[in-house]
C-alpha cells in the first residue's frame, strides 16, 4: 500500500516546484518569503479543514511525541527555506533533481541510526540516481549559481532526512492523522515565527504585502498541492520503509520538466525557457531516474 501513496505524491510536488519558481522570480522581494506565505496559507487551509473533520478521533499523544512532531515540522520549513533560496539560483526542474539528495542520504542515515538495511541492488540503484543528479548539475545553464544551488539543496535534503526519520518515530507512537496534524502545526508555527521575532523580516514582508494580497488564491492553491504531496509522502513513510518511500520521489524532476515544457506551450507565464536547454539529455536522465524508481518499486 505504501507504494501507491509514494507514487501519487510526485506530480503534486512538480506543480509546487513550478509555481514556487514563478513566485520566487516574479512575486517575492526575497526568496524566503515563500516560507511565510506557505505557512500562512497552510494555516488558512487547516482552519477550514477543522470544520469538515468533526468526527476525527483525536488521540493526544505524549508530550515528547508532540514536541518531536513540532520539531519535524520546523525541520521541513528549514528545508523549505534552503529550497526557496535554490529556486532563485536556477530553474525548477534542476532544483527538483537536486532534491534527489534526500533519497540518497536517507538510506545511509537510516542504516546508522535505526538499523534499516536494504538489499545490495537497492544501494546500487540509489547510486545510479545520484549519478543522474550530478549529471543534471553539469548541464545546469545557471553557471554562476549552480554550485550554490547544489549546496543549498544538500542542506535542504539534510533537514528533510532528519524530519522523515522523526516522523517515522512519531507515526509509530500513535495514529497517523494525529501525528500528521502536529507536524503541520510545526510547519505553520516555524514559518510565522520569523515575522514575530525578527523586525527586519517583518518589515520586508510588510513591504511586499501589496504585491502578495491579490495573489492569495494562488498561494492557497500552491499550498493545497503541497499538503496533498506532503500527506502522500508521509503516509508512505508511515506504511513502509522511509528509504524506499523517499526514493520514489526521484520521479519529481521528470514530472517537473514535462509540466514546464507543457506550460511553455500553453501558458508562457509559468514556464521557464531554460527548461528547453539540453532537453534531450534531461529527458534521458529523467528516464534513467524513472527506471531506477521502477526497479526500487
Amino acid at each position: 500500500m505504501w507504494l501507491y501513496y509514494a507514487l501519487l505524491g510526485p506530480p503534486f510536488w512538480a506543480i509546487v516546484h513550478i509555481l514556487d519558481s514563478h513566485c520566487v522570480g516574479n512575486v517575492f522581494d526575497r526568496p524566503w518569503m515563500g516560507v511565510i506565505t506557505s505557512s500562512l496559507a497552510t494555516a488558512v487551509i487547516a482552519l477550514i479543514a477543522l470544520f469538515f473533520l468533526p468526527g476525527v478521533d483525536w488521540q493526544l499523544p505524549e508530550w515528547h511525541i508532540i514536541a518531536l512532531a513540532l520539531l519535524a515540522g520546523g525541520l521541513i520549513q528549514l528545508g523549505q527555506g534552503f529550497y526557496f533560496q535554490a529556486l532563485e539560483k536556477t530553474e525548477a526542474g534542476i532544483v527538483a533533481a537536486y532534491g534527489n539528495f534526500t533519497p540518497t542520504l536517507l538510506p545511509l542515515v537510516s542504516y546508522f541510526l535505526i538499523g534499516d538495511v536494504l538489499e545490495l541492488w537497492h544501494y546500487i540503484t540509489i547510486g545510479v540516481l545520484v549519478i543522474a543528479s550530478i549529471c543534471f548539475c553539469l548541464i545546469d545553464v545557471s553557471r554562476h549559481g549552480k554550485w550554490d544551488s547544489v549546496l543549498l539543496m544538500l542542506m535542504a535534503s539534510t533537514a528533510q532526512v532528519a524530519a522523515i526519520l522523526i516522523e517515522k518515530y512519531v507515526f509509530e507512537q500513535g495514529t497517523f492523522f494525529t501525528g500528521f496534524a502536529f507536524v503541520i502545526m510545526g510547519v505553520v508555527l516555524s514559518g510565522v515565527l520569523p515575522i514575530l521575532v525578527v523586525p527586519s523580516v517583518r518589515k520586508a514582508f510588510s513591504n511586499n504585502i501589496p504585491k502578495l494580497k491579490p495573489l492569495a488564491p494562488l498561494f492557497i492553491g500552491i499550498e493545497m498541492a503541497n499538503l496533498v504531496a506532503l500527506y502522500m509522502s508521509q503516509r508512505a513513510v508511515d506504511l513502509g520503509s522511509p528509504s524506499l518511500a523517499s526514493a520514489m520521489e526521484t520521479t519529481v524532476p521528470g514530472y517537473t520538466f514535462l509540466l514546464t515544457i507543457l506550460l511553455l506551450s500553453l501558458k508562457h507565464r509559468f514556464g521557464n525557457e531554460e527548461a528547453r536547454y539540453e532537453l534531450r539529455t534531461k529527458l534521458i536522465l529523467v528516464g534513467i531516474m524513472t527506471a531506477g524508481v521502477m526497479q526500487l518499486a
Side-chain angles (χ1 to χ4, degrees), residues 177-253:
F177 187 83
T178 303
F180 180 74
F182 278 108
V183 170
I184 296 302
M185 190 181 300
V187 168
V188 173
L189 292 176
S190 58
V192 299
L193 188 62
I195 300 180
L196 302 177
V197 301
V198 184
S200 59
V201 170
R202 185 164 57 248
K203 180 179 180 181
F205 185 75
S206 298
N207 293 336
N208 203 200
I209 285 179
K211 191 187 296 185
L212 299 176
K213 284 180 64 176
L215 297 176
L218 174 62
F219 299 140
I220 296 292
I222 293 173
E223 201 52 34
M224 287 182 66
N226 190 44
L227 287 174
V228 169
L230 192 61
Y231 175 85
M232 295 298 178
S233 65
Q234 293 192 354
R235 188 59 171 154
V237 168
D238 176 43
L239 296 173
S241 164
S243 298
L244 295 182
S246 179
M248 294 301 108
E249 295 178 10
T250 56
T251 56
V252 173

